[in-house]
Amino acid sequence: MTTAYDLAKAQYADWGIDTDAAIDRLRPISISMHCWQGDDVVGFEQQSGASGGGIQATGNYPGRARTPDELRADLEFAYGNIPGSHRLNLHAMYLDTDKSPDRDAIEYDHFAPWVDWSKDQGIKLDFNGTFFAHAKADDNLTLSHPDAGIRDFWIEHGKRCRDIAARFGAELGSPCITNVWVPDGYKDTPIDRMAARRRLEASLDTMFSPAQDATHMKDAVESKLFGIGVEAATIGSHEFYMGYAIRKGTVLCLDMGHFHPTENVADKLSATALSVDELLLHVSRPMRWDSDHVILLDDSIRAMADELVSGDILDRTHIGLDFFDATISRTAAWVIGTRNMQKALLESFLRPLDRLRATEDALNFSERFMMTEELKGLPSGAVWDEFCRRMEVPSGQTLISELESYQKRVAGRD
C-alpha cells in the first residue's frame, strides 16, 4: 500500500532530496527543554521569595507542578511524546531537598535527586544560576551592585552553580551548559554605565575562576535589551556579553526575546559564529518583546533553523527553549514547542541546499526566489509523521488526545 510518506518521498526526490537522510540527520539532535515551563517559574526553594526581576508567567491554568516529583512526572510525559532524546535545562531554584539553603550555600546534594532521575531517564542536564526573585536582587542589581557584599553573595552563588554543573556533567557523561543571566540595570538614566559594567565584568571574572573541565561543564553568558524596572539601561547588553564571550572564550547565549522586536535574531547566528566557538540559543516567541510565548512553526523559527543548517553551525550550537505560558496546559506547551523546533530543523534538512547556494552564487536571484517559494508546497508534514512513527511517538489527532488525557489527570492538583 502506498503511504503518504511514499508519495512525499517521491516528490522530494524530484528535487534531489533524500527524505530518509533528512530524518537520520534530525534523529540525534537534542534540544534542552526548560524546567520552568512546568511550574510558572516558581521553583522549590523553601524561603520567602522577593520580586521576580521582571520575570512573570501569566495565567492560572489547572495542573501546575507543585513539587519536584510532580514536575518530573510531567517531564516524563512530555519527553514520551517528543521524538528523539533530549536534555533538561534546570534552574538553581529547583533544588530538591528538605533543607533551606540560601543561594550562596547550595550544594550538589541539593540536586542529587535530579541526577538520579536523569540517569534513569537517559536525559542529560543543563543548568542556570538563579539571579532573581531574591531579597538581594530587589534593586535589580546583582553582580554589578555597588555594594561589594551583595556582589560577593551572587559571585558565590555563581561559583556553586558551576561546581554543581560540573558534577552534573561528570555524573551524566555530557558537558552541562551553565548559563548566566542577571537582571542588572537601571529604571532611569544612569550617570555611570561604565562603572557598573566594570563591576559586572570583574564579578564574572571572579565567578568563572577557576576554570572547570570543559568535558563536564561550559560557561554561557546571556544578554538582554531591557527588562521591567531596567528600562533605561541593561548592564549586560548584547554588546557587553558578545565582547566578553570573544575575550574570555565562553559560550554566547542568544535569546530570541531579548532584542528589539524588529531585529532578525537568526541573522546574528552566522555573524557571531565567526567570533565565538559555541553558541547557546534560547528559542522563544516574543509576541510583545520578551513575552515568552510557546514557539510556533513560524517564519522566525524557520529562519533560525535555516541559518543553523546553511551556516553549518549545528554542531557547535546548543539549542535550548525559554518560554512559560500559564494560560494553557504546561505539558502541552513543552511538547508542542519542542516539536516545532524539530519540525523547523527537518524542513531545513529538506531543502536542496547545494542547488540553492549555486543559484545565489550565480546571482540568479529570480530562480532562488522561485525555488524557495515552490519548496513551501512540498509535503514536509508527511515526512514529520514518518519521523514520529519511526521514533514511536504519536502525531496528529492521536497526539492531541494524549495531551488532553494527561491534562485531565493533573487538573485536580490545584
Side-chain angles (χ1 to χ4, degrees):
M1 182 182 74
T2 301
T3 66
Y5 177 67
D6 293 329
L7 296 173
K9 184 175 183 177
Q11 284 185 265
Y12 277 105
D14 288 341
W15 287 82
I17 300 167
D18 185 340
T19 55
D20 290 327
I23 288 173
D24 288 341
R25 288 185 71 184
L26 181 61
R27 190 190 308 267
I29 295 175
S30 292
I31 295 170
S32 195
M33 206 167 72
H34 52 311
C35 71
W36 51 94
Q37 165 61 41
D39 81 324
D40 308 340
V41 207
V42 175
F44 303 126
E45 293 175 314
Q46 297 176 34
Q47 56 186 337
S48 58
S51 62
I55 295 176
Q56 179 182 8
T58 54
N60 192 29
Y61 204 79
R64 180 181 72 83
R66 302 160 301 179
T67 66
D69 285 339
E70 287 183 349
L71 184 59
R72 285 189 282 263
D74 291 349
L75 286 162
E76 288 176 25
F77 168 78
Y79 286 124
N81 286 278
I82 301 168
S85 177
H86 300 285
R87 304 175 68 91
L88 175 66
N89 196 4
L90 197 64
H91 238 287
M93 65 198 298
Y94 287 81
L95 68 179
D96 185 356
T97 177
D98 292 332
K99 302 175 182 178
S100 301
D102 207 344
R103 292 188 191 162
D104 65 341
I106 57 173
E107 298 176 348
Y108 172 81
D109 287 347
H110 301 139
F111 299 88
W114 283 106
V115 176
D116 294 339
W117 173 80
S118 296
K119 288 178 178 178
D120 182 64
Q121 297 294 315
I123 291 169
K124 310 303 183 183
L125 290 176
D126 297 314
F127 201 47
N128 304 263
T130 306
F131 293 84
F132 54 87
H134 190 281
K136 284 186 168 63
D138 273 352
D139 295 321
N140 281 331
L141 293 168
T142 60
L143 294 176
S144 70
H145 202 290
D147 186 326
I150 292 179
R151 293 200 304 276
D152 288 344
F153 174 89
W154 290 112
I155 289 170
E156 182 64 21
H157 173 65
K159 281 180 170 290
R160 287 173 176 261
C161 287
R162 297 177 73 243
D163 289 342
I164 293 166
R167 182 76 180 274
F168 286 172
E171 292 284 340
L172 298 172
S174 176
C176 177
I177 308 304
T178 309
N179 188 48
V180 174
W181 173 80
V182 298
D184 294 35
Y186 296 97
K187 185 172 182 65
D188 219 330
T189 306
I191 300 301
D192 194 348
R193 300 168 194 256
M194 180 63 81
R197 286 183 169 136
R198 288 190 190 282
R199 291 192 294 267
L200 176 55
E201 180 179 48
S203 294
L204 290 169
D205 287 347
T206 304
M207 194 172 76
F208 290 155
S209 178
Q212 296 279 358
D213 186 338
T215 63
H216 295 159
M217 71 84 66
K218 297 181 181 182
D219 295 302
V221 290
E222 177 183 357
S223 67
K224 198 168 189 178
L225 177 61
F226 76 94
I228 298 173
V230 293
E231 291 86 354
T234 296
I235 308 307
S237 64
H238 173 59
E239 293 76 11
F240 173 89
Y241 278 125
M242 184 168 65
Y244 190 88
I246 293 170
R247 294 195 311 277
K248 309 292 183 174
T250 68
V251 178
L252 179 65
C253 178
L254 301 176
D255 186 304
M256 291 184 67
H258 286 191
F259 296 90
H260 289 282
T262 56
E263 282 190 275
N264 179 4
V265 182
D267 178 64
K268 300 180 185 298
L269 297 180
S270 58
T272 53
L274 292 171
S275 299
V276 297
D277 291 333
E278 295 180 75
L279 293 168
L280 169 63
L281 297 185
H282 277 186
V283 184
S284 184
R285 177 165 56 103
M287 186 177 293
R288 289 291 184 269
W289 186 63
D290 192 29
S291 49
D292 290 313
H293 290 68
V294 181
I295 63 173
L296 304 176
L297 184 58
D298 60 11
D299 287 346
S300 66
I301 302 303
R302 289 184 170 102
M304 295 292 281
D306 287 348
E307 279 292 308
L308 291 171
V309 174
S310 63
D312 195 23
I313 54 176
L314 259 174
D315 62 343
R316 53 194 182 102
T317 301
H318 309 277
I319 303 175
L321 307 180
D322 187 3
F323 50 77
F324 33 97
D325 187 346
T327 68
I328 62 175
S329 165
R330 294 163 184 84
T331 48
W334 269 327
V335 173
I336 295 167
T338 308
R339 288 167 63 116
N340 278 341
M341 186 69 239
Q342 291 180 286
K343 288 178 181 179
L345 289 167
L346 179 61
E347 288 186 5
S348 295
F349 294 144
L350 290 170
R351 294 186 302 162
L353 195 53
D354 290 342
R355 184 176 168 188
L356 287 165
R357 283 182 175 137
T359 60
E360 185 165 276
D361 290 343
L363 306 183
N364 190 345
F365 302 138
S366 295
E367 183 176 351
R368 182 189 65 181
F369 181 76
M370 290 185 286
M371 286 179 63
T372 56
E373 291 307 298
E374 287 300 304
L375 289 167
K376 292 177 182 178
L378 294 181
S380 62
V383 184
W384 168 258
D385 287 343
E386 176 65 13
F387 176 59
C388 290
R389 187 192 67 78
R390 294 182 186 184
M391 301 303 293
E392 299 182 335
V393 300
S395 62
Q397 296 191 61
T398 304
L399 174 67
I400 294 173
S401 296
E402 289 287 330
L403 298 179
E404 289 181 340
S405 176
Y406 188 80
Q407 176 56 35
K408 289 178 181 177
R409 295 202 298 272
V410 302
R413 285 176 178 170
D414 295 330

